[in-house]
Amino acid sequence: MSDKDEQEKKLSDFEESALFYHRYPQPGKLEIQATKPLGNQRDLALAYSPGVAAPCLEIAKDENKAADYTARGNLVGVVSNGSAVLGLGNIGALASKPVMEGKAVLFKKFAGIDVFDIEIDAPDVDTMVQVTKSLEPTFGGINLEDIKSPECFEVEEQLRKQMKIPVFHDDQHGTAIIVAAAILNGLELAGKDIKTAKIVTSGAGAAALACLNLLVELGAPYENIMVTDIDGVVYKGRPIPCDRWKCLFERETDKRTLAEAIEGADVFLGLSAAGVLKPEYLKSMAEKPLVMALANPTPEIMPDQARAARPDAMICTGRSDFPNQVNNVLCFPYIFRGALDVGATAINEEMKMAAVRAIAQLAREEPSDVAARAYSGETPTFGPEYLIPSPFDQRLILRIAPAVAKAAEDSGVATRPITDHEAYMDRLNRFVFRSGLAMKPIFAAAQAAPMQRVIYAEGEDERVLRAAQIVIEDKIAQPILVGRPEVITARLERFGLRIRPERDFELINPHSDPRYRDYVDDLIRIAGRKGVTPFVARTLVRTNATTISALALMRGDADAMLCGLEGRYERHLRSVREIVGMKEGARDLSALSILISQRGLTFYTDTYVSLDPCAEELAEMTILAAEEIRRFGVEPKAALVSHSNFGSRPSESASKMRRATEILHKIAPEIMADGEMHSDSALVPELRERVFQHSLLEGEANLLVFPNLDAANITLNAVKSMTDSLHVGPILLGVARPAHVITTSVTSRGVVNMTAIAAVEAAQQQASAAR
């Protein structure tokens, strides 16, 4: 199969996955949920008739009360006519709906903002303006999306004049804010000033012109900016029609092409098409040029080509697989968060400037210890490879939203100024915990680290095969599958998967692997004193895939292992315990599980291993769990839970949890922890405050430590089922090498998640050994 055929097949596979994702388990990406109880007749009377009349009358007297009694203060309308969708063009309003739903999901995930997506069949400016304006009573803000240029300028301009709520065209201003932050930082690193820097663009659409307008606001003179479009340089007297927004950047010049315009330029800003910027063009740019090649999915020049032509260049793209990704999610959720929180009537230039400076400043900050640990200890520092923060930096909302809110207050557009800034920051901090994209730091760390070899004991299982393809595509790890080649090949073909043994991944065939005798000898050496005779060893190495995987791990033929998709958990655990063993100083193994729900992520231990751990073992598993939690960019807050609430029930179990807490405070005082307490006291600070005002735990606990396996496992599975949470794990703690026993209910998605965790553990273990 040719490379072109492979690429087409790859796209087809991905598109099929995307269609499945959008269709199941229910169509679309959004749903509406009630935020108030509706459990009895009184609740219904309060929610609707006659109780609803009271807030209606209050709002009729004072429209600002709508923010107190309705969801409007936290509700944004994402509005589009589908005339310029992503890279798809004018596909129409209805076809744009998946994109608008996606935007809604980002608002909710990154900033806790609710969204109705509104797709309008309105090809002309007047209809678009009229329909959108009429929606003002519903929303606290409007995000215009995917409207073609130049109509988008006119729509936004008219709506900003006619509406008393924020109107923001993200394609223009979101991109502009991030670009401006990157340019400010790039020029600083190059020792240049925006007032004297020469800027050249390729592209003159909505995003490009918005970027230039914002740069002018920051001090860039018009005469230092040269714009090129599909027809060449935009110059005065050009016979091609020029709209009033583009005409602002007409220049008196004899230059007619990008190649001519870019000579001596300090900044190249590309929002055009793939391959427009030739490597030879870069050679004529000024010293330490900033190259912003933002065309997607293929930039105007690939970073490796740009770096080869100009090793001193600083490079930004719109892609997540290169440093300095210009991604609108860096700012739009947080700008709206700040604007909504003060009831802003507009998003003005002062608020945009505040966002630019907040983003630029964040890139210069030292990352927190938690963030550094989350990214394998490879701390990003301000420099050519780190001009702007990662879109998944948890501090973005903590920097941008308050800065935007303050700018709204200072510029006079805030109708509900923040009165208690400390409480506001505390609310944002709590949201960061609840909304953190739990697996993102793990995947980023796995992709950034040297490729780790992860061996799968159940290599013939469909879930493993599907996961292996994703792991390979996303460069998370290098899979090694234990299984029969003919079975694996037949199943790959049956499931329509294109990966193949030996070409894409390594295979260990239990029936004929040349390392068979070595594995048998190793097993006898490791487990011979544990009742494993030579005959048993030979049988296990032929028939037990978990034994084979554990031996491969210990021999250095793999860096991490996953098993447990078939058979009893305890059987797999026994093999791992006997062959891989425990890390030095560990008392026993334990398991950490994660539930990711609408409220965020919560960690549970020990959910699968220890039947009835003693106090010392509970303290140890809490320490190990805290260490693992920090890989996710989360600071652990542990609650040792019990049927007793700070001494309310004297019992042996409660005493054990109190002793474990005392031990933990003594040997690991850096971990925020307290106990014994009820689980609701752990999760609801107000309840905890009523019972015991001097608790060492602050805010909501994110790690629940249980007195025994019954309590942990029952709670985990009950909460998972009742809340429809995603289970990640169990993550095996205390093991000498990265080895995890997952469960028979795991999905292929769960296998991918555990692969990333195992790969990061392996990479960090290798890095520690090298130091």
Side-chain angles (χ1 to χ4, degrees):
M1 186 180 289
S2 68
D3 290 343
K4 182 178 179 182
D5 291 338
E6 283 283 359
Q7 182 67 16
E8 289 177 352
K9 182 68 168 70
K10 180 177 180 180
L11 290 173
S12 176
D13 289 341
F14 183 78
E15 288 164 358
E16 185 178 331
S17 297
L19 291 173
F20 186 91
Y21 174 87
H22 281 80
R23 187 170 184 179
Y24 299 101
Q26 63 188 58
K29 299 187 284 280
L30 297 173
E31 67 178 5
I32 295 175
Q33 292 190 17
T35 60
K36 297 295 189 294
L38 293 169
N40 56 37
Q41 185 61 38
R42 181 172 177 80
D43 290 342
L44 292 173
L46 291 170
Y48 197 54
S49 179
V52 76
C56 288
L57 293 172
E58 289 296 308
I59 295 168
K61 289 186 287 186
D62 179 2
E63 64 180 24
N64 289 324
K65 293 290 186 181
D68 296 329
Y69 299 121
T70 76
R72 183 176 186 261
N74 193 50
L75 187 62
V76 166
V78 172
V79 180
S80 180
N81 65 357
S83 58
V85 178
L86 291 174
L88 304 176
N90 188 357
I91 60 174
L94 183 57
S96 75
K97 190 170 181 66
V99 179
M100 303 313 130
E101 285 190 356
K103 195 79 170 189
V105 170
L106 296 180
F107 266 108
K108 185 67 174 180
K109 193 68 178 177
F110 285 91
I113 294 171
D114 295 314
V115 165
F116 290 154
D117 59 292
I118 308 292
E119 294 77 31
I120 300 174
D121 187 7
D124 61 280
V125 170
D126 289 343
T127 306
M128 192 80 189
V129 170
Q130 182 180 358
V131 173
T132 305
K133 181 179 181 299
S134 68
L135 298 171
E136 183 169 344
T138 300
F139 297 109
I142 296 290
N143 184 85
L144 298 173
E145 192 77 15
D146 291 351
I147 305 168
K148 69 184 180 72
S149 175
E151 287 88 341
C152 60
F153 298 112
E154 189 67 41
V155 170
E156 186 194 31
E157 187 175 277
Q158 290 193 35
L159 290 175
R160 290 184 66 179
K161 290 177 181 177
Q162 298 179 40
M163 300 182 79
K164 294 186 293 183
I165 58 175
V167 177
F168 187 79
H169 186 204
D170 182 47
D171 297 328
Q172 293 181 58
H173 307 300
T175 302
I177 286 166
I178 304 158
V179 163
I183 288 177
L184 285 181
N185 281 346
L187 291 176
E188 174 166 315
L189 284 173
K192 301 175 183 179
D193 191 325
I194 194 169
K195 295 178 181 177
T196 57
K198 180 180 177 183
I199 301 167
V200 174
T201 78
S202 172
L209 295 180
C211 290
L212 295 178
N213 287 329
L214 192 53
L215 292 174
V216 169
E217 290 284 339
L218 287 166
Y222 280 103
E223 58 268 24
N224 287 358
I225 298 171
M226 190 170 292
V227 174
T228 70
D229 60 16
I230 195 169
D231 297 305
V233 173
V234 177
Y235 62 90
K236 285 190 176 179
R238 193 170 76 158
I240 300 165
C242 183
D243 61 59
R244 62 187 173 97
W245 296 278
K246 191 190 297 187
C247 285
L248 291 172
F249 297 96
E250 287 182 333
R251 288 279 304 278
E252 291 277 6
T253 180
D254 58 359
K255 299 180 186 297
R256 296 294 182 264
T257 66
L258 176 60
E260 296 171 350
I262 205 170
E263 291 178 8
D266 299 291
V267 178
F268 168 80
L269 174 58
L271 286 151
S272 54
V276 166
L277 184 60
K278 308 300 179 187
E280 56 267 26
Y281 295 178
L282 270 68
K283 295 179 180 178
S284 67
M285 293 185 72
E287 182 184 2
K288 296 182 181 178
L290 175 58
V291 177
M292 306 200 70
L294 306 182
N296 259 327
T298 306
E300 285 81 0
I301 187 170
M302 294 298 289
D304 55 338
Q305 292 178 304
R307 201 163 284 109
R310 286 298 298 265
D312 61 336
M314 293 170 280
I315 305 161
C316 300
T317 71
R319 292 171 50 143
S320 61
D321 52 346
F322 295 111
N324 295 323
Q325 183 195 11
V326 175
N327 186 329
N328 288 12
V329 81
L330 265 168
C331 70
F332 75 79
Y334 317 119
I335 289 173
F336 270 99
R337 180 72 278 156
L340 293 173
D341 289 341
V342 295
T345 57
I347 293 176
N348 56 27
E349 296 306 310
E350 292 87 346
M351 295 159 75
K352 294 177 198 172
M353 291 291 189
V356 169
R357 294 192 174 95
I359 294 169
Q361 183 58 42
L362 179 56
R364 304 178 196 187
E365 287 186 28
E366 288 187 8
S368 66
D369 292 341
V370 173
R373 285 191 294 266
Y375 287 88
S376 297
E378 296 179 5
T379 308
T381 56
F382 180 52
E385 299 285 288
Y386 190 67
L387 296 174
I388 46 179
S390 160
F392 294 93
D393 193 316
Q394 295 180 332
R395 297 168 297 171
L396 284 164
I397 192 171
L398 304 176
R399 302 294 185 273
I400 299 174
V404 169
K406 185 176 187 306
E409 294 171 352
D410 292 345
S411 61
V413 298
T415 62
R416 299 190 307 276
I418 295 168
T419 55
D420 188 338
H421 288 272
E422 185 176 339
Y424 179 58
M425 290 303 298
D426 181 61
R427 181 159 63 89
L428 293 179
N429 268 297
R430 282 188 280 120
F431 172 77
V432 167
F433 160 66
R434 288 183 174 181
S435 68
L437 293 165
M439 290 303 299
K440 180 60 187 177
I442 300 296
F443 278 89
Q447 291 163 338
M451 194 74 77
Q452 301 297 305
R453 300 163 300 165
V454 178
I455 188 168
Y456 302 84
E458 292 86 4
E460 298 175 0
D461 191 286
E462 178 184 354
R463 293 164 292 178
V464 168
L465 298 175
R466 292 190 181 280
Q469 177 154 310
I470 296 171
V471 165
I472 292 168
E473 286 178 355
D474 293 351
K475 297 181 174 60
I476 297 168
Q478 179 183 334
I480 303 171
L481 273 57
V482 179
R484 295 161 291 177
E486 66 277 9
V487 174
I488 289 176
T489 300
R491 291 181 178 178
L492 288 170
E493 292 176 352
R494 184 198 313 164
F495 303 139
L497 303 174
R498 72 180 183 286
I499 57 173
R500 292 295 179 267
E502 305 308 334
R503 186 190 70 186
D504 300 303
F505 59 87
E506 187 180 341
L507 189 67
I508 294 181
N509 183 353
H511 297 164
S512 62
D513 193 280
R515 294 166 288 190
Y516 169 74
R517 291 185 181 279
D518 295 331
Y519 279 29
V520 170
D521 291 342
D522 286 336
L523 182 57
I524 293 171
R525 177 178 52 81
I526 293 170
R529 293 182 180 274
K530 300 174 184 177
V532 177
T533 66
F535 173 77
V536 170
R538 288 192 294 271
T539 302
L540 288 174
V541 175
R542 286 287 192 217
T543 61
N544 190 310
T546 298
T547 296
I548 296 169
S549 300
L551 289 168
L553 178 63
M554 296 310 294
R555 284 173 49 85
D557 295 339
D559 302 307
M561 69 170 281
L562 297 180
C563 62
L565 281 83
E566 299 170 6
R568 294 183 179 276
Y569 187 92
E570 178 59 33
R571 177 173 64 84
H572 295 282
L573 183 66
R574 189 184 312 118
S575 296
V576 170
R577 192 192 299 272
E578 290 180 352
I579 299 171
V580 181
M582 292 183 287
K583 66 169 56 176
E584 186 176 352
R587 286 174 168 270
D588 197 2
L589 303 180
S590 58
L592 176 70
S593 290
I594 311 168
L595 290 185
I596 304 175
S597 65
Q598 291 294 333
R599 62 175 286 116
L601 64 160
T602 309
F603 299 83
Y604 301 74
T605 196
D606 170 13
T607 49
Y608 281 91
V609 178
S610 304
L611 287 172
D612 189 14
C614 65
E616 289 77 12
E617 289 169 337
L618 285 166
E620 177 182 275
M621 71 173 62
T622 304
I623 294 169
L624 292 173
E627 180 182 329
E628 188 69 34
I629 290 169
R630 291 190 180 104
R631 298 187 204 274
F632 292 81
V634 174
E635 191 60 38
K637 296 182 179 182
L640 284 78
V641 295
S642 170
H643 69 280
S644 174
N645 205 21
F646 296 104
S648 65
R649 294 283 298 275
S651 70
E652 185 178 341
S653 173
S655 297
K656 178 176 72 171
M657 300 308 283
R658 284 197 295 275
R659 288 198 308 274
T661 304
E662 292 167 1
I663 295 168
L664 189 61
H665 289 161
K666 183 176 181 180
I667 63 177
E670 73 281 1
I671 298 174
M672 184 186 295
D674 208 347
E676 86 290 5
M677 68 178 76
H678 287 172
S679 55
D680 57 354
S681 293
L683 298 172
V684 183
E686 293 80 8
L687 292 179
R688 186 167 65 248
E689 182 74 12
R690 290 179 199 167
V691 177
F692 186 62
Q693 296 180 355
H694 305 291
S695 174
L696 300 177
L697 189 64
E698 297 176 6
E700 299 177 21
N702 53 23
L703 169 61
L704 301 182
V705 182
F706 292 87
N708 56 49
L709 185 58
D710 278 345
N713 192 270
I714 291 168
T715 302
L716 172 73
N717 286 295
V719 173
K720 178 177 69 173
S721 298
M722 290 189 295
T723 61
D724 197 26
S725 299
L726 171 67
H727 178 215
V728 177
I731 301 169
L732 197 58
L733 305 177
V735 70
R737 301 284 300 277
H740 298 287
V741 183
I742 45 186
T743 63
T744 56
S745 62
V746 73
T747 62
S748 59
R749 179 187 184 191
V751 176
V752 173
N753 285 337
M754 287 304 301
T755 301
I757 290 170
V760 170
E761 289 176 344
Q764 292 180 345
Q765 195 172 83
Q766 291 171 7
S768 297
R771 286 197 287 268

